[in-house]
Structures are given as C-alpha cells and as structure tokens.
Amino acid sequence: MLKELLVVIKESSYISKSNISKKLNISEELIEEGFEQLIRMGYIKEDVRGIKCDVGCSSCPYSKSCDKMPIKTIMITEKGERLLAK
Amino acid sequence: MNTIALVGNPNSGKTTLFNALTGSNQHVGNWPGVTVEKKEGKFKFNGNTYNVVDLPGTYSLGAFSEDEMVARDFILKGNPDVVINVVDATNIERNLYLTSQLLEMGVKVIVVLNMIDEAEAKNIQFGIKTLSKKLGVPVVTTAASKRKGIKELIEEIVRVIDGEMDLKPSISYGDKIDREIKTIKKLLSGKTLEYPPRWIAIKLIEGDQYVHDLVSENKALSSDSEFGDVLSAVKENIEDNELEIVNRRYEFVNDVTRVSVVRPEEAVKTVTDKVDKILIHKYFGLPIFILIMFVLFQLTFAVGEDLLGGLMAAAVDAVGHAIEVFLVNINSPAWIIAFVSEGIIGGIGAIIEFIPLIVVLYMLIGILEDSGYMARAAYIMDNIMRKLGLHGKTFISMIVGFGCNVPGVMATRTLESKKDRMIAILINPFMSCGAKLLIYLVFIAAFFPNGGGLILFLIYFIGILVALLVGKIFSRTLFKGETTDFIMELPPYRKPVLRNVLRNMWDNVSGFLKRAGTVIFAVVTVLWIMAVLPAGVEPYGAESILGRIGLFIAPIFKPAGFGTWQAAVGLFSGIAAKEAVVTTLGMVYAGVGEGTELISAIQGAFTPLTSVSFMVMTLLYTPCVATIATIKKETNSVKWAIFAMVYTFAIGWTMAVLVFQTGRLLGFS
Ligand SMILES: Nc1nc2c(ncn2[C@@H]2O[C@H](COP(=O)(O)OP(=O)(O)OP(=O)(O)O)[C@@H](O)[C@H]2O)c(=O)[nH]1
Ligand SMILES: [Mg+2]
C-alpha cells in the first residue's frame, strides 16, 4: 500500500486524498495514515505549516500572518525517489 | 493476582477507562500525552482482585520515544495476563496500526472500541463480529466516559484470562521476511533473552536500533557465527524490510477495516471532484480564477465603500471635530491643536476611513481560503509558473504577500533551492500588501468613485504580472540551478467557517490598527515636525523642511506626471511604511479645502491619468523598511537588500513613466 501510494503521489499533478482513495480502493482515513507514515519514514516531506519567524515576532504587527500557510505541499525525498527507481 | 495493561493511542480514553474500571480518579485530559508514566490501580470481581496498569498513549511500539519504550517494555516484560488495546472508534484506521504491532507480540489482546458513542453520532458503523474474526481477538465496545460497556468488558477480561487464546501470528510479511523471521527465531531459541524470540526477530529485520544494540551486547549471540551471518544479511536490507513490514501492517489494517467499518458517504467529496473538473480545468481554470478575483474586488467596493464607507468617513469627521472643539475649549496651545487636527486626524484619520473596505476585502479573501479555493488558485498559478521557469511554491509566498510582504518574504523559506528562493524573495514586494491598498483607495475615491473594483483588480493584476515577468527574467539571468519538484494538496471544498473567516480578517485588520498606533503614529509625528519647521515658514508649505526635501526629489517624477513636492514626500515617507503615503498627503494637504479635505486636495493636485501612474508607482516601487530588513535577514546579504530597494524603484518609475507617457499620447489627461 505504501509503495503504491508513493507511486500515485509521484504520478499526480495534485493531491486529492479522496481521488487517491478511490484509485487505490483504500479508505480515505487509511490513505491519510499512509501519508503520515511515508512522512515519518522519510519518503516524502510535507511543508511545515506556518512560517516560524524567530526574532522580534511579538512586536511585529503582522506576526499572526506568519503562523499560517494557506496551502499544503508535498515533496518526494531522495529516499522516496530511490524507492521509486527500484 | 492478575494484571491487565491498558495500551492505545494518545487521547483514546485509556485513563477514562482505567478510572471506570478501578474507580480511581486519575487525571484525564482532552489532549494527547496526559498520562506520561504508567499508573496502577485495582478492581475486584467475583472475589478476585485484578491489577490494572494505565500506560502512556503511543501511536506505535517502536523505540522512538520514552513513552513507546515504557509501553512496550511493560507489555513484554511486565507479564500482563491480558492487554487491553483501547481504540478510538472514530479513528479506527489510525488506531489499528498499534493493534497490528500488539498482535506481533504474542500476548493476549482484547480490543476495546471506545468512544463508541461518538462514532455512533458520526454514523460510523462496525461489524463487531467480523472485526473480531479478522483481528483474531475479542472486540468489546465501550463509552468509557459514560461508563457504558464496562461490565461486558470485565466479563470478557475474566473469560480471556481464564481461557486459552490462539496466539498464532495473524500477519504475514511476505515469504522472504517470514522465512527470515523463522530462521532468526530458531537461532534465538535456547538463548536467555528479555523478549520473546519472534518479536526480536521482527524488530531486527525492521531495524529497531534498541533491539540491535541488545543483541550485540548478548555474549551468547555475538559468539554465534551463524547468527552473525544472518544478522549482517538482514542489516543490508533494512530500509526495504522496514518498508515491507510497515506496509504489511497497513495492508492488514486495510484488510480488516474494509469489511468491518462503514463510514457515511460524504457528499462534499463527490461534489469536490465534480467542481474541480471545472475550476482547475486546463483552459477554463485561469479565466475563472481571474473572474473570481474581479468579482471579489467589485464586492469589496459595493459592500465596503458604498454601504459602509460613508458611515466611517462621517464618524471620523465627527470624532475629529469633537476633539478639536474639546481642545479649543480647554484652551490648549495652538501647536497642539494643529498637531492633533492636522497631523493626527488629518493623517491617521485618512487611513481609518478605509477600514470597512479592508475588513470586507480580507473577509472575502478569508472565504476563498477557507472554502479551499485558494489551493486551486495556487494550483492554476503553479502550472503557469512552471512554464515560466519559476517554482510553483513562489505563488504561495505571493498569496501571503497580499497581506504583508514581511511574512510573504518569510514564506519563501519553504522553497528548497537557493535559486527559487532568491527569485521568490525579490519579486514578493510587487504583491500589493494591505498598506498599499489604502493609497489606491484614496485615489479611487478621488477619481474613479464608480470604477473602484475594476481599478483595484487591474492594480493587483499588474502586480502579479510584473512579478511573473521579472521572475522569469531573473531565472534566465541572475540565478541558475535546479528547481525541486513538489505536489500541491487540494483539500475537499467546505463551507467556510465564519470563525475562521473572521479570524483571518482580524489578523490583518489588527495588524493594520497596531501599525496605525505605532509605526504610522511615529512617522506622522516626525513628518509633522518637519512640515512646520523651521519656525516662521508657512506650515505644510514648500519652505518647510519637508517641502524642501520634496522639492529636491520632485523633478525625478516629472516624466511620470506627478512632479509635485507633496507627491515626492509622500513616496519618500512611504518607504518608512506604505500607509504613510496617505497620511503624509493627508497632512500636507490638510490646510487645503474643506470636508473630506484630502480627496478634494488630491483632485486638485492630480489628474485621472497622473493618479493612475502614481498608483502604479506605489504598487511597484521600493518596499517599506520592514520588508527590506526582512529581505536582508532572509538573504543574509546587505547587497541583495540594496538591490531589492533599487531595482524595484527603477521598475516602478519606468512603469509609471510608461503609463503616463502612453496615456498622454492616447489623449488621456
Ligand atoms: N465521548 C466520549 N469521550 C470519551 C470517552 N472516553 C474518553 N473520552 C474523553 O476523551 C478524552 C481523553 O481521555 P483520556 O482518558 O485522558 O485519554 P488517554 O488515552 O488516557 O490519553 P493519554 O493519557 O494522553 O494517552 C477525555 O476528554 C475523555 O473525557 C468515550 O467513551 N466517549
Ligand atoms: Mg491517560
């Protein structure tokens, strides 16, 4: 399941978990789990949500805009690419 | 005395169940990680005493954290007679991963589907018999917080402890690994070890560092050359083996849940697919995006200006007037009255009047964001940016830049390659931030009261266009290098939640207000002093310090059509903070005209054409100091910060001149 998931991620132009769920015939909850596991195992990487400004944030009037990242993106790591190459 | 261990994911209700079983009162909290050490308690049933151990919550039983070690050590070394696996029924897919690891341990397990009340409320249905058969262990449902199902659970516990249980392994890891497990298990037999041999075998193949260390410290094993050979063969393939084992666990979970869990079909998801066919369509996607932005700006004006704008202006006027009257009545010195009425009210009041527009605009943007459309917009832009040789993630930092360029520049941190990041940083200032919005609003009010939406739309559009073009040029010339690939997630659409929308709006508006009270206030004060000094000159006149600075810079802007000293000082102070363009104009024109003085003064000093070239200038020219400082910090280079200051000015000036001169040739004035 994990490898299939990785292949689907590689082939997609965007990620829709419900589409992937349909494609692999695996429940969406489990697909969600699969993503997290792939991240934990270092095959893919997800953008950290939010930008951490390390200095002077409390006084910055726009500090609140810093905590959010409107869009999630995923990258396949080197380890992931190695697996795909096999 | 029999011992019962409670294991499960964090926040699955273990402690609640522990309390229900033992009648004790351990700390329960609705967040993960409440129980950090194991807790013990007792209960009596049919004259027997049972010892219950509440373990810390874990998602897995590896050696990643202290909690995982505590839990797995107790299960394997504490000799519990039965392990109760508390599963959050609303999240069963995630929870069963831990279950799959428990089943590897060769201990008696009972699966408790806790929070069954919530699962029922969410309309999730379980085939308990099938679930139990597939897992190979008894399954009991409970609602621990309501003390439901506790009696049945106790009965099951007694049954399991007294009875026999088939502990045959239920997960196969594929022929190759299964064979390796058998081989290792055989080699381990007869050796004194703290853990069951089969479990050690799995962990060795999976690459569990703790177990590897354990084995290498064992004298009997390290002197066994056959075992050494097998072990080094295993070590070669650890990455593949780990993936395969984890994979098999998930397949097991999938196999189990597929036939035993039914979740309600979510209508949103089918709708999402259909809607996306249009919204991210190869050809329609972009026009629709543009149309949505256009409507957004139209709505902003219709609601923010026509409906609410007048009220706010009237309120500012009334309050300003009242303060002036008050100051006169208490016999304040003339300079204080002048400072307050012309500096503060004329300057800061000018920006306060536009708050309703800003509120509406950011609420609309918040709706787009919360509904999930923003991700689609980024996806459409991603395709375009790739074609231009830019990294698609750049657009994400650009979206953030619409609020403020400081976090916008920070957001480029998610770009991996230096090349992509430098380009994204350098073009971010072209994104029209909330502060610049004020400038357009003033000029729109003066010259295009009926076409505000269109003008705003065009300005933002020009900003994006210039950013893309400049980015393309940079990627061709200044920066070379690989771009990294990435995939965007498109979440299902959902109805925007009012709370999120309001919070998003407030984050921006509060930032705006905070700035008005601090940075802008300071800038206004300094400028006011410069506008009334040296003593004796006419205040706010060309002879004041401010006026002389303005006169000195003004000729640069002649070709762009706004070569007045007022416009020049406005742009100059805009480098301190963009709002200051408006406050400065508000102040230097405060003596002129009456009523909404600034608007009528601007109508006198600019023409429709020069107002457009001025807006283009403010859109593109040198970013504010806060942004420059951030660019310096993020690029770690003064050189690039100065470059950003200078090249944006050059582009702003060029574009403004282009607009003015072309406009004149075409006969506009
Ligand atoms: N609706 C409902 N809520 C429950 C049930 N069982 C527990 N809860 C709630 O779930 C939350 C977590 O419960 P805990 O017992 O602290 O969970 P835990 O598994 O001990 O959590 P950690 O110690 O952090 O691992 C609490 O707010 C409980 O009131 C249940 O059966 N139904
Ligand atoms: Mg607990």
Side-chain angles (χ1 to χ4, degrees), chain A residues 1-2 13-15 19 22 28-29 33 36-37 52-53 61-62 64 68 72 74 82 86, chain B residues 94 239-240 247 250-251 263 269 273 379 410 413 485 487-490 504 507 511 515:
Chain A
M1 166 189 140
L2 292 177
S13 57
Y14 64 88
I15 287 165
N19 275 353
K22 260 182 239 149
E28 216 179 306
E29 286 71 21
E33 269 301 286
E36 277 176 29
Q37 188 65 41
K52 288 183 204 82
C53 2
Y62 285 104
K64 282 190 191 124
K68 55 183 178 201
K72 254 205 233 178
I74 279 173
R82 238 186 298 137
K86 277 181 202 162
Chain B
R94 152 170 292 193
E239 205 172 287
D240 291 346
N247 199 29
Y250 278 113
E251 263 161 24
R263 284 175 184 270
K269 292 191 175 137
D273 284 344
Y379 174 71
M410 301 275 234
R413 285 187 184 178
D485 216 3
I487 308 139
M488 214 171 263
E489 182 176 345
L490 303 187
N504 183 60
D507 284 352
R515 279 168 66 87

Side-chain angles (χ1 to χ4, degrees), chain B residues 18-55:
Chain B
F18 175 88
N19 290 344
L21 284 170
T22 62
S24 61
N25 198 5
Q26 286 296 341
H27 191 52
V28 169
N30 191 16
W31 61 89
V34 176
T35 310
V36 284
E37 283 164 46
K38 57 178 199 279
K39 298 265 158 48
E40 297 193 35
K42 286 179 179 47
F43 73 89
K44 276 199 168 115
F45 185 75
N46 279 352
N48 293 326
T49 310
Y50 296 85
N51 188 20
V52 188
V53 180
D54 181 19
L55 294 168

